[in-house]
Amino acid sequence: MSQTLKSWDLNANEDTMKDLYLCFSLEERDYAFEVRHLTEILALPAITTIPGTAPFLRGVINIRGKIIPVMDVRLRFDIAFKAYHDRTCVLLIELDGLPLGLIVDKVNDVVRIPVENIDLAPKIGESRSSRFIYATGRVGDSVKILINLQRLLTQEEAHLIKDIPGT
Amino acid sequence: MERDDVLEYLLEARETLENIEKELLHFEKSTLDGSLVDRELLDTLFRHFHTVKGSSGFFGLTAIVKMAHAAENLLDYLRKNPEAQDADTLEFLITALDYLNELVEHEESSPTGGDFFSEGQTQFLNKLNQKNESIRISLTHTQEEPSTRPSSQEFGLFTNEPAKEIPKEEFGLFTEDPKPKIVEEFGLFSKEENPSTNEEFGLFHKPTETLPKETVYKQEDSSKTEKKVIVKKDIRIDTDKLDSLLDIVGEIVITEPMVTDHPDITKLKLENFQKTALQLKKLIRNLQDITLSLRMVPIAGVFSRMERLVRDTAKKTGKQVELIISGEETEIDKSIIEEMYDPLVHIIRNAIDHGLETPEERKEAGKQIQGSIQLTATQSGKEVWIEVRDDGKGLSRDRILNKAMSLGLTSPAEAEILQDQEVWEFLFHPGFSTAKEVTDLSGRGVGLDVVRKNVTTLKGFVDVFSVYGQGTTFLIRVPLTLAIIEGLVVRKSDTYFILPSVDVKESLYVTNEPINELYKNNHSIQYRTNQISIVDIDLLFGKDSDLNDQRSLKEKYVIVTESHEKQMGIVFDEILGSQSIVIKPISPIFKNINGLAGCTILGNGHAGLILDVRKLISSHLTSVTI
């Protein structure tokens, strides 16, 4: 059910971790974020909705006795809601000690994107979701959209987290 | 020096100081009849002060070293010259202890390099040193001790008078002359066994097997063994570790039925498997009980701190008070114990100040001159009952009623028919005690509203009972632990909610009850003789109420909740039953959610939301009026 990253984590030192990105897809577009923020990839467990919160905060899930909030990344990016299915994943990340689950359609793989292949994003359009994007990364022929995990939380919530690179 | 190390040491020092306080009070009690203090008690006290001095020196806390050193000197002279003891020397020791506490506290909150920070401290130290000096002079005169003895054992670093004669307390680490080891050595540096003490600082010291304590200290055996029961061996644990242990055990408890009642095996006949599964179930239950009890500590720590309070308050008021403590081994969640201190101080201080009579008054009333306060803890189900019982003059119904009427809380006609119990309730009314005449005459009530508030936040209760002329009893009831509550699990659509059992008054199953819509989002039903407001849980979280769509409640449940005598019904789809709930905090990402007290994990693996019923009721009823 769950696939931890611990096994290869042990062999990875800070330098090799640095260029590694986890890729996932939403609506045929490829997104990626630094793998060091990731703790675990899980199939979607039952979600308990919390009344009175933003729609993109879907609620909380129970991961081995820990209660962890989950965010639907589609809704956060203003993409229409899509019903969850067997392949829906939760990416468990930790930002400055604060655990968060990201619900995404499909997890692809872990790729290495060296710094020279990363281009800081110009101010793209007016879309609200553009503020979650800080750069693009070239991997072979394709381009991954690099997202700023910290900005997934709203401005007011961002004070809870600090020291995320690329801000 | 790492700050963490210092803090950890200071915590240790606090414990030692607590022990000193205990011993000093024992000192005072045992010498009340004019008898000389026990040599062993002096030794113990000396050793405690010595420990504080030695370790503080290591951390460079010079003020503490100086103070402890002076106290140590005084104790040493007392040992050699027991007849020099008087109330004065005891007072010196107690004051020195207070200053040490002050210094330790100061060092914890605002580290300044370990020196004195107030004039009072240095003045007192000088006074204490003078006292030591005068005793020393009288000692050398009476005992004719050779004043020419080598002073190489001095611990010269911090003492003002390097020529002083203190042969017994060298800090062994720095002494050049490893002189005869004496009974009170600080065990860390001692290689020899100390043959005459049975309370060594055991961490660093090998037990002394050859100790003939049964014969020598026979008369103290009873008190010693009694104490040993309470002073348990313990270990300090990071609460984060403890919490993750609780999480994992909680998860095991939830996973167990998922495995043993797994759908894949339910149709199979597996007799042996069932047996083993049952055994596993039992073990897991035990494991859960033990882990939950890890947060529990005996209440003795707080109780023993009351000894000092009683002593000081009795002195101040000129009354004679005996504090009788029992049930101090009762265990209770550590976080609750910390919250119990203030309410207890309040109640006990009031009991002495206002409840107990002066010795003369007691004589007149035909009572013993010495008043008594009984402090008792007992476990009763999932609650701990803490009782403070005094044998003083009791509450005066008339005076309390007069005061209540003057505040407009009741009328003369009503006052006539009130039960005593209802009269005592006025004492908990905010502001009731501020008026001078009540606190001075009938006593009680000074800030009792605050006491009740503190206890209520712990989901506990305070009650008072009194018989005029015979005394007053305060009974505090608190839950054993805050991490676990009893709750009613309910469901609304896909979401599970938990209502704390204390807030639930009644649950009703309604098939076709008419509901009155006063206006949109505001409904009420007939409950007993009243109309009470009923809401849909969604409404409380800012959505429209489902009740708007239907005029009657069909196959729904209404849970009647109550807070501060205000009632409200909340509608749910299903009631799953009552169970013990482990409270877990809710992520800070969900901010501004006012009605939730936390989360929990239910037996089915779902996360459940614990409702903060008090907040829900007060925020709903302020927005709506019936």
Side-chain angles (χ1 to χ4, degrees):
Chain A
M1 169 170 174
S2 73
Q3 167 198 350
T4 66
L5 297 168
K6 285 261 158 61
S7 51
W8 58 269
D9 203 352
L10 290 173
N11 306 324
N13 62 38
E14 266 300 307
D15 279 352
T16 53
M17 285 282 274
K18 205 182 164 194
D19 292 341
L20 288 179
Y21 288 80
L22 181 93
C23 302
F24 63 92
S25 311
L26 293 176
E27 296 287 299
E28 307 305 316
R29 249 171 288 176
D30 289 343
Y31 297 87
F33 61 85
E34 279 182 284
V35 105
R36 65 188 176 92
H37 295 301
L38 184 74
T39 33
E40 206 167 326
I41 302 172
L42 301 157
L44 185 68
I47 299 177
T48 298
T49 47
I50 304 248
T53 55
F56 60 83
L57 285 176
R58 297 296 292 168
V60 289
I61 52 173
N62 162 25
I63 308 275
R64 288 189 305 283
K66 282 211 165 60
I67 304 225
I68 291 168
V70 283
M71 172 191 289
D72 188 317
V73 182
R74 293 177 69 97
L75 295 180
R76 190 67 183 122
F77 286 0
D78 284 339
I79 304 171
F81 178 76
K82 195 166 135 193
Y84 300 142
H85 50 84
D86 288 352
R87 301 277 319 258
T88 306
C89 284
V90 178
L91 307 176
L92 212 59
I93 59 168
E94 197 167 303
L95 298 174
D96 200 36
L98 203 68
L100 177 69
L102 302 177
I103 302 173
V104 296
D105 292 357
K106 192 175 156 222
V107 176
N108 301 331
D109 49 2
V110 174
V111 293
R112 185 174 298 280
I113 311 179
V115 184
E116 57 268 25
N117 284 6
I118 292 176
D119 307 306
L120 284 183
K123 278 283 155 215
I124 329 161
E126 296 296 311
S127 161
R128 262 182 63 199
S129 59
S130 69
R131 74 186 183 94
F132 306 120
I133 299 164
Y134 77 93
T136 53
R138 279 172 280 121
V139 181
D141 290 339
S142 65
V143 170
K144 313 279 182 196
I145 303 164
L146 304 189
I147 55 171
N148 180 338
L149 290 177
Q150 187 184 24
R151 294 217 182 133
L152 285 179
L153 298 174
T154 56
Q155 298 290 334
E156 307 93 85
E157 283 137 359
H159 76 273
L160 296 167
I161 316 167
K162 45 185 188 289
D163 301 331
I164 305 292
T167 49
Chain B
M1 201 65 64
E2 289 291 327
R3 177 76 182 144
D4 279 356
D5 292 344
V6 178
L7 283 176
E8 194 172 319
Y9 161 65
L10 289 173
L11 212 62
E12 222 170 83
R14 267 172 185 275
E15 273 167 28
T16 315
L17 293 178
E18 265 172 39
N19 284 334
I20 293 177
E21 179 162 274
K22 228 181 281 171
E23 303 293 342
L24 281 176
L25 292 169
H26 184 47
F27 185 155
E28 185 176 41
K29 268 189 195 158
S30 64
T31 53
L32 266 184
D33 53 0
S35 65
L36 292 177
V37 75
D38 204 52
R39 165 69 188 228
E40 204 203 337
L41 187 56
L42 280 179
D43 288 346
T44 313
L45 275 169
F46 183 91
R47 203 168 39 247
H48 283 325
F49 276 112
H50 195 92
T51 308
V52 171
K53 183 181 88 169
S55 321
S56 301
F58 185 65
F59 287 100
L61 308 170
T62 48
I64 298 179
V65 172
K66 283 180 195 164
M67 191 66 80
H69 182 75
E72 215 181 286
N73 280 347
L74 184 57
L75 281 164
D76 192 43
Y77 296 139
L78 290 184
R79 279 198 306 208
K80 276 182 278 178
N81 206 5
E83 61 276 11
Q85 269 169 47
D86 49 19
D88 198 32
T89 53
L90 181 70
E91 210 53 54
F92 265 113
L93 291 172
I94 288 182
T95 318
L97 170 72
D98 287 345
Y99 279 123
L100 283 173
N101 268 318
E102 193 178 289
L103 287 165
V104 167
E105 213 166 281
H106 183 76
E107 201 53 42
E108 273 175 350
S109 54
S110 48
T112 47
D115 217 339
F116 291 113
F117 60 90
S118 86
E119 191 60 25
Q121 291 162 355
T122 34
Q123 270 175 11
F124 171 75
L125 184 69
N126 288 337
K127 262 167 69 185
L128 182 53
N129 280 333
Q130 277 165 21
K131 172 87 182 171
N132 279 338
E133 184 67 10
S134 65
I135 296 183
R136 188 185 69 85
I137 291 165
S138 70
L139 264 186
T140 44
H141 280 295
T142 51
Q143 294 196 347
E144 296 287 322
E145 276 195 26
S147 53
T148 50
R149 254 174 86 166
S151 57
S152 58
Q153 314 86 320
E154 267 316 320
F155 176 40
L157 193 49
F158 304 109
T159 166
N160 300 329
E161 299 141 287
K164 224 170 15 174
E165 174 79 23
I166 13 165
K168 285 190 182 173
E169 59 241 321
E170 72 274 15
F171 189 37
L173 187 57
F174 302 115
T175 172
E176 293 165 355
D177 181 359
K179 281 282 283 189
K181 297 297 173 188
I182 303 145
V183 204
E184 305 77 14
E185 270 313 324
F186 183 38
L188 181 57
F189 307 107
S190 164
K191 284 173 192 154
E192 280 175 38
E193 303 278 298
N194 293 341
S196 72
T197 49
N198 60 356
E199 290 193 342
E200 270 312 318
F201 189 26
L203 190 55
F204 303 110
H205 206 280
K206 286 181 197 159
T208 50
E209 286 104 339
T210 55
L211 200 61
K213 66 171 175 186
E214 281 83 5
T215 48
V216 181
Y217 299 109
K218 196 112 198 170
Q219 73 277 15
E220 281 171 22
D221 272 359
S222 58
S223 67
K224 279 270 144 41
T225 43
E226 226 171 84
K227 244 187 267 170
K228 283 276 142 55
V229 177
I230 307 148
V231 183
K232 289 183 181 167
K233 283 181 190 163
D234 55 13
I235 179 170
R236 222 169 261 141
I237 305 175
D238 187 357
T239 46
D240 285 351
K241 282 186 191 169
L242 206 57
D243 288 346
S244 43
L245 177 67
L246 286 177
D247 284 347
I248 291 169
V249 171
E251 191 70 6
I252 291 174
V253 171
I254 291 161
T255 320
E256 180 270 327
M258 291 186 199
V259 175
T260 53
D261 305 329
H262 198 278
D264 290 0
I265 57 164
T266 43
K267 288 192 186 98
L268 302 173
K269 261 200 162 173
L270 301 163
E271 208 173 301
N272 286 325
F273 174 82
Q274 293 301 342
K275 266 187 203 163
T276 329
L278 201 68
Q279 178 71 8
L280 182 67
K281 254 180 230 209
K282 273 188 201 157
L283 288 174
I284 289 175
R285 180 65 50 192
N286 284 349
L287 179 66
Q288 191 186 21
D289 288 347
I290 290 173
T291 28
L292 289 178
S293 73
L294 288 180
R295 290 184 60 90
M296 312 282 274
V297 291
I299 202 164
V302 171
F303 273 17
S304 62
R305 285 158 81 187
M306 296 301 144
E307 299 249 15
R308 177 69 190 278
L309 175 85
V310 168
R311 174 196 179 269
D312 289 355
T313 318
K315 267 219 163 125
K316 237 177 264 169
T317 52
K319 293 171 183 174
Q320 292 184 18
V321 189
E322 185 192 11
L323 180 67
I324 305 161
I325 289 178
S326 58
E328 66 266 52
E329 70 285 346
T330 310
E331 292 201 331
I332 188 166
D333 192 288
K334 192 161 192 302
S335 50
I336 296 184
I337 286 200
E338 279 156 14
E339 298 296 321
M340 287 316 298
Y341 179 72
D342 285 341
L344 279 180
V345 165
H346 219 105
I347 291 172
I348 290 181
R349 193 178 281 153
N350 276 351
I352 299 172
D353 196 9
H354 307 300
L356 293 179
E357 312 89 331
T358 60
E360 299 78 45
E361 285 168 346
R362 291 185 68 88
K363 214 171 183 180
E364 239 165 71
K367 292 179 180 176
Q368 278 189 326
I369 291 176
Q370 192 182 42
S372 83
I373 291 182
Q374 289 180 35
L375 182 56
T376 314
T378 41
Q379 189 183 334
S380 170
K382 292 198 169 174
E383 285 183 342
V384 169
W385 293 17
I386 300 163
E387 192 184 86
V388 181
R389 177 193 296 267
D390 70 54
D391 65 346
K393 53 182 174 273
L395 299 173
S396 160
R397 181 185 164 101
D398 293 345
R399 292 216 162 92
I400 294 171
L401 281 177
N402 283 338
K403 176 70 186 168
M405 282 186 273
S406 75
L407 286 173
L409 298 173
T410 184
S411 62
E414 217 178 32
E416 292 261 320
I417 53 161
L418 280 175
Q419 301 277 320
D420 277 358
Q421 204 51 49
E422 294 168 301
V423 176
W424 310 150
E425 274 301 303
F426 288 123
L427 295 174
F428 294 102
H429 196 273
F432 192 83
S433 57
T434 47
K436 200 83 177 133
E437 65 271 21
V438 168
T439 53
D440 281 345
L441 299 172
S442 69
R444 300 308 156 100
V446 182
L448 272 180
D449 57 317
V450 180
V451 169
R452 174 164 278 181
K453 207 176 131 206
N454 286 354
V455 175
T456 310
T457 18
L458 299 172
K459 305 209 181 301
F461 307 89
V462 194
D463 292 303
V464 58
F465 311 93
S466 181
V467 178
Y468 189 68
Q470 290 178 28
T472 311
T473 303
F474 277 87
L475 179 65
I476 302 176
R477 291 175 290 150
V478 282
L480 276 177
T481 167
L482 278 186
I484 298 175
I485 57 159
E486 284 297 303
L488 191 64
V489 184
V490 295
R491 184 179 61 82
K492 154 83 190 179
S493 331
D494 293 336
T495 312
Y496 295 91
F497 292 95
I498 292 100
L499 295 138
S501 295
V502 284
D503 300 321
V504 175
K505 196 168 163 60
E506 194 173 348
S507 52
L508 311 167
Y509 176 61
V510 245
T511 42
N512 213 353
E513 203 76 17
I515 63 169
N516 314 313
E517 181 171 334
L518 302 164
Y519 47 87
K520 191 171 152 57
N521 289 340
N522 186 1
H523 302 82
S524 72
I525 56 163
Q526 186 73 23
Y527 172 66
R528 305 260 163 93
T529 53
N530 296 324
Q531 282 280 312
I532 62 165
S533 179
I534 61 163
V535 292
D536 184 275
I537 190 70
D538 288 348
L539 176 70
L540 295 175
F541 291 103
K543 287 187 193 155
D544 274 353
S545 172
D546 278 0
L547 299 173
N548 290 329
D549 299 335
Q550 47 198 100
R551 298 229 147 241
S552 60
L553 297 161
K554 282 205 186 75
E555 288 168 20
K556 298 256 180 188
Y557 294 85
V558 174
I559 314 273
V560 182
T561 57
E562 190 177 64
S563 152
H564 300 295
E565 281 137 41
K566 287 177 195 145
Q567 292 169 346
M568 180 171 81
I570 309 177
V571 180
F572 292 100
D573 296 347
E574 190 188 356
I575 297 179
L576 288 100
S578 179
Q579 67 177 82
S580 297
I581 301 291
V582 181
I583 302 178
K584 289 163 187 281
I586 210 160
S587 171
I589 287 175
F590 304 101
K591 49 186 176 50
N592 305 329
I593 307 177
N594 250 334
L596 292 184
C599 276
T600 190
I601 293 165
L602 297 168
N604 57 13
H606 283 269
L609 306 176
I610 302 166
L611 293 174
D612 186 336
V613 172
R614 284 151 211 264
K615 268 195 191 144
L616 288 178
I617 292 181
S618 65
S619 64
H620 178 65
L621 293 187
T622 47
S623 64
V624 164
T625 41
I626 300 177

